[in-house]
Amino acid sequence: MNSNFLTPPMHSFAGLPVCRQLDDLEADIAIIGLHYVSPYPQNPAILSPHPAVETAPDAIRMQSSRFIGHLGHYDFDFNDVLLPDPRIRLVDCGDVDRKTADGRQNPEHITAAVRTILARGAMPIAIGTDEGGFIPYVRAFEGCRELCVIHIDAHIDWRNERYGILDGYSSGMRRASEMPWIQSMAQIGLRGIGSAGPQEISDARLFGSVFIRARDIHQNGIHACMEKIPVTDQYLITIDADALDMAIAPGVLYPSPGRLTFDETTDLVRTLASKGRIAGISLFEVRPERDINGLTASTAAQLIIHFIGTMARYGNYNRIPRLPQTRH
Ligand SMILES: [Mn+2]
């Protein structure tokens, strides 16, 4: 694969080794930054007081720098060291299409990069600013069997189009539902008023999407809600930062009162990892220009560190030889 559209990170995530040539990737988990921009006309209601000068991958890596050299430390969320087997191979692959100012951004680069990571046998953890980047990301999973999208967000993102645009951040789950390799979907953390009208709700339900509101989690607990999640071989987890409590993730385009807490979010991912294979994780919609003291990026960095610890436990990396995929 031509990797000319990849830029090595200035500072890698938590000081991890950097992969400069994806074709040579040797890793169990690969971090990759995405720089997709939804081609929507600017909405004056959400214009930032300052233009975006920093992207989510940069901001999250910057906040992760305080954990350089810490990944072997004890993590009280696991009551154990973060990485029980330090041989797990963690790599930062840098950014796809980092320089987009000339308008020559190509979503196919995202698909190609993620597909190469998968072909090399690594699990991609994608960090991106604009959630429209989920669309080319999920295209890379073509050919995967029985994939269930777990979408953690305050909103459902089922618009067919907005301003005539099909591939924007309001349409990610609609586009994913149209891909034959996406078999099922659960949407978790829903609340408040968003871009969905009755048509979007009924289309999502017709597809079979399972709605789990933030309220349902608070009232019934994670485990009761998890029983509604489709049983499948593989989960593809994607998170919009606005799913989280505004107190720990204020830097988002659509702040939504009603929160998922940090613990609820990590418990969700940990419970999923105990039920099935995690094919990939992506985290979008950290908007550094709206952030307060880097708090949202810091929360995102610590989520990713927790996900690495989760995968180190449930991904069976190194400690147990990987079994060949069984066909049913
Ligand atoms: Mn959202």
Side-chain angles (χ1 to χ4, degrees), residues 88-106:
I88 187 168
R89 299 166 303 169
L90 309 169
V91 168
D92 189 334
C93 297
D95 291 342
V96 180
D97 278 349
R98 182 188 173 80
K99 298 188 181 77
T100 56
D102 61 1
R104 292 194 296 146
Q105 186 191 57
N106 185 348

Side-chain angles (χ1 to χ4, degrees), residues 21-321:
Q21 179 52 256
L22 280 186
D23 288 331
D24 300 331
L25 177 67
E26 296 284 347
D28 299 303
I29 295 175
I31 308 268
I32 188 149
L34 309 182
H35 292 262
Y36 187 84
V37 178
S38 292
Y40 293 146
Q42 289 279 35
N43 177 351
I46 58 168
L47 276 183
S48 290
H50 310 291
V53 291
E54 197 183 18
T55 65
D58 290 341
I60 293 168
R61 286 196 184 96
M62 178 66 76
Q63 290 296 328
S64 77
S65 64
R66 72 185 61 178
F67 302 104
I68 291 174
H70 285 32
L71 298 190
H73 286 191
Y74 199 88
D75 184 328
F76 282 96
D77 289 347
F78 293 102
N79 252 339
D80 190 3
V81 290
L82 181 76
L83 303 177
D85 183 343
R87 290 173 300 173
I88 187 168
R89 299 166 303 169
L90 309 169
V91 168
D92 189 334
C93 297
D95 291 342
V96 180
D97 278 349
R98 182 188 173 80
K99 298 188 181 77
T100 56
D102 61 1
R104 292 194 296 146
Q105 186 191 57
N106 185 348
E108 289 174 13
H109 292 164
I110 294 176
T111 306
V114 175
R115 193 170 282 157
T116 304
I117 290 171
L118 293 171
R120 297 294 302 166
M123 191 204 72
I125 296 184
I127 44 180
T129 308
D130 184 317
E131 200 181 2
F134 180 70
I135 298 168
Y137 170 86
V138 74
R139 282 199 186 110
F141 290 83
E142 181 174 5
C144 286
R145 295 169 65 248
E146 310 222 0
L147 209 49
C148 174
V149 170
I150 303 291
H151 177 223
I152 301 175
D153 195 326
H155 315 100
I156 65 166
D157 298 352
W158 264 81
R159 289 289 291 268
N160 184 42
E161 56 84 25
R162 249 181 113 190
Y163 313 108
I165 306 293
L166 295 175
D167 289 347
Y169 57 68
S170 297
S171 303
M173 298 309 127
R174 164 84 69 163
R175 294 288 90 79
S177 77
E178 295 164 348
M179 300 180 195
W181 51 97
I182 302 302
Q183 189 194 48
S184 53
M185 184 179 293
Q187 306 193 255
I188 307 175
L190 306 175
R191 57 192 186 263
I193 188 166
S195 74
Q199 186 66 50
E200 284 76 29
I201 297 295
S202 100
D203 291 348
R205 289 210 160 114
L206 195 62
F207 174 75
S209 185
V210 176
F211 292 162
I212 298 174
R213 304 175 307 157
R215 248 168 223 280
D216 299 328
I217 301 253
H218 301 143
Q219 289 173 357
N220 306 324
I222 300 269
H223 290 284
C225 291
M226 292 302 289
E227 285 169 16
K228 297 191 203 164
I229 302 247
V231 174
T232 188
D233 283 354
Q234 305 193 76
Y235 296 102
L236 185 60
I237 299 172
T238 187
I239 300 173
D240 178 332
D242 72 27
L244 295 158
D245 190 341
M246 291 190 294
I248 58 168
V252 297
L253 282 187
Y254 295 96
S256 303
R259 88 190 182 281
L260 290 183
T261 67
F262 186 88
D263 286 353
E264 285 163 349
T265 309
T266 53
D267 283 355
L268 271 168
V269 171
R270 207 166 356 169
T271 309
L272 281 166
S274 71
K275 284 165 68 95
R277 182 174 173 270
I278 306 297
I281 300 177
S282 52
L283 173 60
F284 293 98
E285 291 298 332
V286 172
R287 300 281 178 165
E289 74 279 9
R290 303 174 70 95
D291 207 358
I292 299 171
N293 294 333
L295 195 52
T296 315
S298 173
T299 297
Q302 289 173 83
L303 277 176
I304 290 165
I305 286 170
H306 190 97
F307 298 155
I308 288 171
T310 297
M311 297 314 299
R313 283 161 175 76
Y314 292 102
N316 294 341
Y317 299 113
N318 290 328
R319 288 169 296 151
I320 305 167

